[in-house]
Amino acid sequence: MLTKSDCKINGADRLPFATALVLAMILLTTGCNSPPQPNVTATGTVHVAGEPLSGAVITLEPMRQTTGPNASAPVFDGRFEVPASAGLHGGTYRVRVAMIPTELLVKLPSEQAASLPPAGAVIDPSFDAESQLSCDLKPDQPNALAFAVEFLK
């Protein structure tokens, strides 16, 4: 016959298990969440000889202590926009500007194609592969940028 002392089912025996279970649930629901990244966007203009550039791509590459990915955006009518979804972090970025390859430009709608530079135009390497252009992007505020580049002569 079992006595009360043989059955150790009481609140004191269950407390360590219940506490461990609650702690595990808290860790599982909050431990894997990373802190949200700041909202970093960039908009701007690119000109050649004072005229708006079209048919190019601008690329932002993290420099120095800046973390995060590269981001690229098309440039048409001198304007570009890098949305927050590009995942940029605040910091310093190298800026490169290059023409979109000809095989892609021929597929553009006529309204965009009308503003393209002459066929065969190439951005000077000092603004592309050898670029010394840079910008500083700040989180949670507008980052309005302006660049002037030159075609290869």
Side-chain angles (χ1 to χ4, degrees):
M1 171 185 247
L2 292 175
T3 64
K4 191 173 184 178
S5 62
D6 293 331
C7 297
K8 294 192 175 198
I9 300 176
N10 60 43
D13 291 336
R14 287 190 235 166
L15 185 58
F17 175 74
T19 303
L21 182 62
V22 169
L23 287 173
M25 290 176 67
I26 290 171
L27 289 174
L28 287 173
T29 58
T30 61
C32 295
N33 294 337
S34 58
Q37 290 295 325
N39 182 22
V40 178
T41 61
T43 59
T45 59
V46 182
H47 288 84
V48 174
E51 296 295 320
L53 178 63
S54 280
V57 62
I58 188 165
T59 300
L60 305 177
E61 301 172 349
M63 294 177 62
R64 300 185 198 115
Q65 307 301 330
T66 302
T67 61
N70 291 354
S72 296
V75 178
F76 285 98
D77 297 321
R79 300 196 176 283
F80 68 89
E81 180 176 347
V82 180
S85 62
L88 295 179
H89 301 179
T92 303
Y93 288 81
R94 171 172 285 118
V95 178
R96 298 180 191 271
V97 180
M99 295 305 297
I100 294 173
T102 305
E103 56 272 14
L104 297 176
L105 291 176
V106 297
K107 298 176 182 181
L108 290 176
S110 58
E111 58 274 1
Q112 284 182 325
S115 64
L116 293 177
V122 175
I123 301 292
D124 188 295
S126 63
F127 302 101
D128 186 7
E130 302 165 8
S131 180
Q132 297 302 307
L133 296 174
S134 66
C135 66
D136 289 317
L137 300 181
K138 304 207 180 325
D140 301 318
Q141 64 180 315
N143 290 289
L145 309 171
F147 301 101
V149 299
E150 298 173 8
F151 287 130
L152 190 61
K153 297 174 183 178

